[in-house]
Amino acid sequence: MSSAVANEKAIDLLKALAEPIRLEIIESLSNGEKCVCDLMQETDLAQSKISFHLKVLKEAGVITDRQSGRWVYYKLDIRALKSLQNWIKKLRKGCLSEASSCE
Amino acid sequence: MSSAVANEKAIDLLKALAEPIRLEIIESLSNGEKCVCDLMQETDLAQSKISFHLKVLKEAGVITDRQSGRWVYYKLDIRALKSLQNWIKKLRKGCLSEASSCE
DNA sequence: TTAATACATCAATTCTTCTTGATGTATTAT
DNA sequence: ATAATACATCAAGAAGAATTGATGTATTAA
């Protein structure tokens, strides 16, 4: 059977990445942890918009958050991109298909 | 400057992959070239639906097509997934961000 | 030449995602 | 306690993507 669960998670990851604003956020966070206010300044976008995209990224497992006082800091969770790379590798090898016998 | 063009292409690729039916098609094509009729049989989906998704995949560069008689055969273009892997690798390294100096 | 097959495309509808402005909640400063 | 801040969430609307059934086009078969 095809790895349906893995595929669903991968789809969430792919969708999370497939959006310009979210990519901008990710690229910003690759320079380190940031609070929402930092991201607002950098991107010049409305707060609700940023929070919306942060939520999508968080739910996909791309980022994690941590509250400190009245700030909420977001940072990348490296494992997400790592697992996506792994998934794509399998896809390339045809290891996700029904008929595959990769191991 | 951030590699905007590369990102746009990557977004197209990510979107193309981030859909269950299209993934099913990709997984099927990983077992070799198929005509639309083959895919219809395998997936049990309407022809217009399959053609729609094939178009998305083709425009993203994930697949290529070739006509033979009244059949149109589709197959994976390996380069697409390869370049996506490469893009993700850069993303992981923070090499897509404005501030990066990866080379 | 007419039929049938294989596929693409289209218009209308539906479904999903994104945006916007407003309101709600927690935390700190006064 | 009150006010200000940092952020989340919500409802309404806008925009985008997918589905559906129908029609169009090329190719081969009869």
Side-chain angles (χ1 to χ4, degrees):
Chain A
M1 198 197 67
S2 167
S3 46
V5 177
N7 277 0
E8 278 173 33
K9 271 202 94 180
I11 285 178
D12 284 345
L13 269 171
L14 292 165
K15 276 194 205 163
L17 299 184
E19 212 281 339
I21 291 178
R22 289 197 288 268
L23 264 189
E24 199 179 345
I25 291 174
I26 291 172
E27 289 175 0
S28 172
L29 294 183
S30 75
N31 296 318
E33 200 182 46
K34 301 267 173 72
C35 64
V36 180
C37 51
D38 289 337
L39 293 169
M40 280 178 67
Q41 274 196 262
E42 283 184 27
T43 62
D44 207 36
L45 295 171
Q47 180 261 314
S48 65
K49 190 184 273 191
I50 293 185
S51 283
F52 169 79
H53 289 293
L54 285 171
K55 192 179 185 186
V56 175
L57 289 171
K58 186 183 166 190
E59 284 175 350
V62 179
I63 61 178
T64 58
D65 62 343
R66 147 185 100 77
Q67 181 153 11
S68 171
R70 38 184 170 171
W71 293 272
V72 177
Y73 291 93
Y74 286 90
K75 71 167 177 177
L76 292 181
D77 186 338
I78 321 158
R79 292 171 301 175
L81 290 183
K82 224 166 185 171
S83 79
L84 183 60
Q85 275 192 315
N86 208 44
W87 179 86
I88 294 176
K89 197 183 290 175
K90 282 187 190 167
L91 186 61
R92 276 185 64 187
K93 288 183 186 167
C95 293
L96 297 179
S97 75
E98 309 269 334
S100 86
S101 56
C102 291
E103 64 193 320
Chain B
M1 197 197 68
S2 167
S3 46
V5 177
N7 278 0
E8 277 173 34
K9 271 202 93 180
I11 285 178
D12 284 345
L13 268 172
L14 292 165
K15 275 194 205 164
L17 299 184
E19 213 280 337
I21 292 178
R22 290 198 286 269
L23 264 188
E24 200 179 346
I25 291 174
I26 291 172
E27 289 175 0
S28 171
L29 294 183
S30 75
N31 296 318
E33 200 181 47
K34 302 266 172 73
C35 64
V36 179
C37 50
D38 290 336
L39 293 169
M40 280 178 68
Q41 274 196 262
E42 283 184 26
T43 61
D44 207 36
L45 295 171
Q47 180 261 317
S48 65
K49 190 184 273 191
I50 293 185
S51 282
F52 169 79
H53 289 293
L54 285 170
K55 192 178 185 186
V56 174
L57 288 171
K58 186 182 166 191
E59 284 174 351
V62 179
I63 60 178
T64 58
D65 62 343
R66 150 184 97 78
Q67 182 153 11
S68 171
R70 40 184 168 172
W71 291 272
V72 178
Y73 291 93
Y74 287 91
K75 71 168 178 176
L76 292 181
D77 185 339
I78 320 158
R79 292 170 300 175
L81 290 183
K82 222 166 186 170
S83 79
L84 184 60
Q85 274 192 315
N86 208 44
W87 180 85
I88 293 177
K89 196 182 290 175
K90 282 187 190 165
L91 187 62
R92 276 184 64 187
K93 287 184 187 167
C95 293
L96 297 179
S97 75
E98 307 270 336
S100 86
S101 56
C102 290
E103 63 194 323

